[in-house]
Amino acid sequence: MQDQRAHAGATPRPGPGGRRAGHGPPWPRRRDRAERFGGRRGDRPPWPSTVVVGVIVMVGTTVAAHGQDREPLGIVARLLLFAAVAVLLVRHRHPVVAVAGTSAATLVYLGLGYPYGPVFLAVAVGCFSAIVSGHRKAAWWSLGTLWAGHLLAAHWLYRWLPPDGDGPAPWAQEAFVTAWVAAIVAAAELLRVRREQRAAARAEREAAEKRRADEERLRMARELHDVLAHSISVINVQAGVGLALLDSDPEQARTALTTIKSASKEALGEVRQVLENLRTPGDAPRAPAPGLDRLPELVDQAAGAGLTVTVGTDGARGPVPPGTDLAAFRIVQEALTNVVRHSGSRTARVRIVYGSEHLRILVDDEGPATGDEAGGSGNGLIGMRERAAALGGTIDAGPRPDGGFRVTAELPLRPGRDGPTTPDEAETEETS
């Protein structure tokens, strides 16, 4: 107890970033949002790629300057090129600052009349980082400002800007710059959409896996309930009989104990099979799943609990899908369990009707209800309805007009959309 109290009262360990686990904000941080859109999250600036861009810009601009009637590359031009590239070091953590900074440095560089060249590569990298991290408006505004500023300088402010004697830029050049801006935006948006699609597909796969896990847990819970509820009801009744007759009729008490032993052994076997399937879902079941062929065993167990069951069939029995066979057995088992637990009647009638498309099951007792509502009102009826619905069938349970209680189930004999569609799926449904 001391260890448990110490553990329960222990201070939570700090989580990532120094925050204690369980004390973070319920909304995603901006950096998490950038990671979700494909941005890289880390403490190190992106040195390698930035250095590569810097080398390309510096060397490429030097080469491109030859043959251009622009201002010579001096210390100011080199500093502007360096600034346009250096700001990209913060593009993963601060993409807005990166795209705005590199666009501003490029605009000043071009406005001072320096040669055209691969400085636009730095703008493209900053724009890509901003758009794929979710800051689309910041990227558009930065690129739009760069384009408008270059257009203004090339066709109006050129009279007052270096180099001296420069004339207006040809419109063909402006068309090229406009196409370059549009291409950057289009490529960045395409990359963003592709990453969002991959993230959505990944989230959908994770949701589908969680949904399958939830369905598997539900099937396991339903199977365990059906196994344990029936067997424990029989054990409970026989234990009461054994205790009542232990002194007056030892032989009858012995019979009750024998029934308890048999019911508990069978329950343990079925529970073990369910748990083995849960631990190793890929392995084949070691024992066949119960079906309508085992109805005589249910009748014997019900007789051990003091319930007389008559079974009748109508129609010619044809092939029954494994999932339908298992569901029919479990529905009859749960219905008889409810008669034992909730009905004052000591007789029940089971009728199986084989049709061409459906299997119909009717379980009747004469009542009246004892204590709880006749037929039960807990997980048993819910489990029966879930089994029927999983196969595309229906189930109805309620009091009869003339008294007593009736359970009516209709299950398809041909796999439907909601049920197993292949033998492998039917076997999975059967064993789960």
Side-chain angles (χ1 to χ4, degrees):
M1 294 297 292
Q2 293 178 352
D3 294 340
Q4 292 178 356
R5 286 196 296 269
H7 180 71
T11 303
R13 294 182 178 179
R19 183 184 292 108
R20 289 182 179 179
H23 296 278
W27 59 87
R29 294 173 296 176
R30 181 174 297 274
R31 195 163 61 180
D32 294 332
R33 190 180 77 174
E35 184 181 16
R36 186 170 64 251
F37 281 101
R40 186 173 63 187
R41 177 182 176 183
D43 295 333
R44 297 182 183 179
W47 286 101
S49 57
T50 305
V51 169
V52 171
V53 173
V55 171
I56 294 175
V57 169
M58 292 297 184
V59 176
T61 303
T62 302
V63 174
H66 296 288
Q68 296 189 42
D69 189 15
R70 305 281 290 177
E71 286 289 304
L73 291 173
I75 186 64
V76 176
R78 296 292 182 182
L79 289 176
L80 287 173
L81 291 176
F82 178 80
V85 175
V87 74
L88 297 178
L89 288 172
V90 300
R91 67 182 184 271
H92 290 162
R93 285 194 168 188
H94 307 286
V96 175
V97 174
V99 69
T102 190
S103 298
T106 302
L107 180 59
V108 174
Y109 171 87
L110 296 177
L112 293 179
Y114 293 115
Y116 293 97
V119 64
F120 297 111
L121 176 62
V123 179
V125 173
C127 179
F128 268 78
S129 297
I131 289 181
V132 299
S133 63
H135 301 279
R136 303 165 65 192
K137 290 184 179 180
W140 294 346
W141 274 105
S142 298
L143 276 180
T145 302
L146 174 60
W147 176 80
H150 175 267
L151 190 67
L152 188 66
H155 293 275
W156 184 38
L157 299 178
Y158 67 90
R159 301 178 182 87
W160 300 280
L161 295 175
D164 296 333
D166 190 20
W171 286 104
Q173 175 180 304
E174 296 306 321
F176 171 78
V177 173
T178 302
W180 170 83
V181 172
I184 290 180
V185 173
E189 288 290 343
L190 178 62
L191 179 60
R192 179 189 63 83
V193 170
R194 292 290 300 273
R195 291 194 175 187
E196 285 184 352
Q197 289 175 345
R198 287 198 295 268
R202 182 168 57 252
E204 184 177 354
R205 287 195 301 270
E206 292 174 355
E209 292 175 359
K210 183 179 182 299
R211 186 169 57 251
R212 285 194 295 269
D214 292 340
E215 292 173 353
E216 184 70 14
R217 285 193 296 269
L218 178 61
R219 285 196 295 267
M220 290 296 176
R222 187 167 57 233
E223 194 74 9
L224 287 174
H225 172 272
D226 292 345
V227 171
L228 295 177
H230 178 77
S231 300
I232 292 178
S233 296
V234 173
I235 292 172
N236 181 65
V237 172
Q238 289 300 317
V241 172
L243 288 174
L245 301 178
L246 184 62
D247 296 327
S248 60
D249 192 348
E251 191 60 33
Q252 186 65 28
R254 181 187 300 273
T255 302
L257 292 175
T258 302
T259 303
I260 290 175
K261 179 180 179 181
S262 175
S264 61
K265 181 179 180 181
E266 180 177 356
L268 286 174
E270 293 200 27
V271 169
R272 187 180 297 111
Q273 179 182 346
V274 171
L275 295 179
E276 286 179 354
N277 292 334
L278 179 62
R279 294 190 185 99
T280 56
D283 295 343
R286 298 182 181 181
L292 292 176
D293 291 336
R294 291 181 55 181
L295 279 183
E297 297 181 20
L298 286 182
V299 173
D300 293 340
Q301 291 178 359
L307 183 66
T308 301
V309 181
T310 58
V311 179
T313 59
D314 290 334
R317 176 172 181 175
V320 179
T324 302
D325 203 22
L326 173 62
F329 177 84
R330 293 304 188 198
I331 289 173
V332 174
Q333 184 183 49
E334 180 60 31
L336 294 180
T337 300
N338 287 336
V339 174
V340 173
R341 298 173 60 187
H342 305 289
S343 176
S345 176
R346 294 296 88 192
T347 61
R349 296 189 303 275
V350 177
R351 180 160 295 276
I352 310 295
V353 181
Y354 295 97
S356 58
E357 300 289 338
H358 293 87
L359 174 68
R360 187 176 176 86
I361 303 168
L362 296 93
V363 182
D364 291 276
D365 71 271
E366 301 300 331
T370 57
D372 298 334
E373 180 185 357
S377 58
N379 293 327
L381 291 180
I382 295 176
M384 287 194 289
R385 291 191 177 98
E386 289 173 347
R387 285 187 181 276
L391 296 169
T394 59
I395 192 166
D396 183 34
R400 299 185 310 182
D402 57 346
F405 197 87
R406 167 172 289 181
V407 175
T408 305
E410 191 169 275
L411 306 177
L413 288 175
R414 295 181 181 178
R417 292 182 181 178
D418 297 330
T421 57
T422 67
D424 293 339
E425 293 178 2
E427 183 178 353
T428 301
E429 173 67 18
E430 170 191 355
T431 57
S432 61

